[in-house]
Amino acid sequence: MSKRPSPISATVDFDADGVQHGFLKLPISTDESAWGAVMIPITVVKNGEGPSALLTGGNHGDEYEGITALLKLARTLRAEDVHGRVIIVPMMNVPAAQAGRRTSPMDGGNLNRSFPGDPDGRVTEQIADYFTRYLVPLIDVALDLHSGGRTLDIIPFAASHHLDDKQQQRQALEGAKAFGAPTAMMMFELDAARLFDTAVESQGKVFVATELGGGGTTTPERLMIAERGVRNFLIHYGLIDGTPEMPAEGQVYVDMPDASCYVQSEHTGLLELTVTLGDTVEQGQVIARVYDMTRTGADPVEYHAQRSGLMLARRFPAQVNMGDTIAVIGEVVDALDG
Ligand code: CA
């Protein structure tokens, strides 16, 4: 069953040398704009033959580290510095990013749960489909910059996945290390089927994911890690010249072997985390308490680490609902094997 062509058109020429700033235009018809379009900003920087890289942020609209780093790169990367082609999309889900939300206010769509997408679907599925069928086939390597957004805070790391193709897995892991975040890891996804990651990996392309902070804001340190990492990624895959800058204190390697890394709430209430992001915890240790907000005098519910390791992520808001991820604990390892 073949899909119809995407309704999205690009105002940039992916084969032209030089720097182009333009849009991916998706026609929409709304109360505010009968013959309108969703305009996704895109920059293409091309210089002769060479590899092609796709750099993306704003897959979730409230993850500002990647959005900010890529907006800055798009206005500064010069064609003469590039070997090949760099495609930059700082806000993949631009309606979500402009609304400051994880998901799109146009259709409620979570872009990173909408792949491979559908040209006949709603706006978010149409965006996913364009990436899957038009942009990913153009590229060799992809870097997707995430963070925790408003509801999670995550230590800055770059990650790759366990893949059936071991060469592809090794190439991605080397890129994740070369990004030069304080932590590099092999990541276990709770539900990989509809991720952008899977759409890229299933086409045999190298995919590196990052989480670079969260809380719905940025800090100077995390932006430095994001910007340095993007440069390191481009150097590693031969798109720009230079020497990668790695963290002076070295890198910590982490594995997420299975779902026991995730601690999820079975209660609703006020969250007290007893461990700081980036700390080491022991299996069985109390890492959080949840208090009943409807009465005084009740004992809180205690949450324990199901494994020993590094506290990689935490819920950011102080209130917690049933099913929310409270914390993620990764296993510190001496080496990551591709
Ligand atoms: Ca995300």
Side-chain angles (χ1 to χ4, degrees):
M1 190 179 67
S2 70
K3 293 177 174 175
R4 73 165 174 123
S6 173
I8 293 178
S9 59
T11 68
V12 290
D13 177 353
F14 292 102
D15 296 321
D17 279 340
V19 176
Q20 301 170 76
H21 303 290
F23 299 95
L24 306 174
K25 289 175 64 173
L26 169 57
I28 50 162
S29 183
T30 67
D31 289 341
E32 288 71 38
S33 185
W35 294 351
V38 172
M39 306 285 282
I40 304 169
I42 183 170
T43 293
V44 179
V45 182
K46 183 173 179 296
N47 183 21
E49 298 304 309
S52 283
L54 174 61
L55 309 177
T56 50
N59 187 336
H60 293 129
D62 62 351
E63 300 176 358
Y64 298 102
E65 294 84 348
I67 294 172
T68 311
L70 292 183
L71 284 172
K72 292 174 75 172
L73 180 71
R75 59 175 284 278
T76 53
L77 187 61
R78 302 181 309 173
E80 58 264 39
D81 296 333
V82 169
H83 313 290
R85 175 170 54 189
V86 180
I87 301 171
I88 306 169
V89 184
M91 293 164 285
M92 294 174 84
N93 194 350
V94 78
Q98 289 172 350
R101 292 164 49 146
R102 181 173 180 82
T103 61
S104 175
M106 299 188 71
D107 58 6
N110 178 339
L111 180 58
N112 216 27
R113 303 293 183 276
S114 300
F115 285 87
D118 181 355
D120 295 313
R122 303 187 72 185
V123 166
T124 308
E125 293 168 309
Q126 291 176 313
I127 294 171
D129 170 67
Y130 185 84
F131 276 86
T132 301
R133 290 195 298 147
Y134 291 80
L135 289 186
V136 175
L138 295 178
I139 58 105
D140 304 292
V141 296
L143 175 65
D144 192 28
L145 302 172
H146 285 253
S147 68
R150 289 186 301 180
T151 67
L152 290 170
D153 200 13
I154 308 178
I155 63 166
F157 69 79
S160 59
H161 297 116
H162 297 277
L163 299 172
D164 293 336
D165 180 334
K166 293 307 165 196
Q167 187 190 346
Q168 185 188 11
Q169 174 177 304
R170 191 163 49 249
Q171 286 175 342
L173 177 59
E174 285 167 4
K177 290 177 179 172
F179 185 89
T183 300
M185 75 171 73
M186 298 288 274
M187 200 168 175
F188 175 84
E189 301 284 358
L190 281 178
D191 182 10
R194 307 204 68 195
L195 299 178
F196 181 44
D197 316 37
T198 306
V200 177
E201 288 161 349
S202 66
Q203 293 185 44
K205 312 298 173 104
V206 169
F207 185 87
V208 174
T210 66
E211 299 287 352
L212 297 169
T217 190
T218 63
T219 67
E221 187 201 1
R222 287 162 166 192
L223 256 189
M224 180 279 288
I225 292 168
E227 294 183 63
R228 180 182 69 189
V230 170
R231 269 197 315 278
N232 286 347
F233 179 90
L234 293 175
I235 292 168
H236 177 78
Y237 290 112
L239 284 129
I240 61 174
D241 293 329
T243 307
E245 272 180 76
M246 302 303 279
E249 63 281 11
Q251 271 184 317
V252 175
Y253 296 141
V254 173
D255 199 4
M256 290 176 64
D258 57 50
S260 75
C261 297
Y262 290 81
V263 179
Q264 290 179 312
S265 186
E266 297 181 0
H267 301 84
T268 292
L270 179 66
L271 178 65
E272 177 198 10
L273 276 158
T274 60
V275 177
T276 301
L277 196 62
D279 279 359
T280 300
V281 302
E282 298 297 326
Q283 186 176 16
Q285 179 182 340
V286 174
I287 59 167
R289 302 186 184 98
V290 177
Y291 294 85
D292 187 337
M293 295 180 77
T294 64
R295 67 197 66 249
T296 56
D299 290 337
V301 181
E302 292 189 331
Y303 281 83
H304 302 261
Q306 293 157 283
R307 54 165 55 248
S308 298
L310 191 69
M311 177 105 141
L312 302 176
R314 57 156 289 177
R315 178 166 173 82
F316 191 71
Q319 291 195 32
V320 67
N321 288 303
M322 290 185 72
D324 290 337
T325 290
I326 292 175
V328 183
I329 298 164
E331 182 182 350
V332 178
V333 293
D334 293 335
L336 288 176
D337 296 320

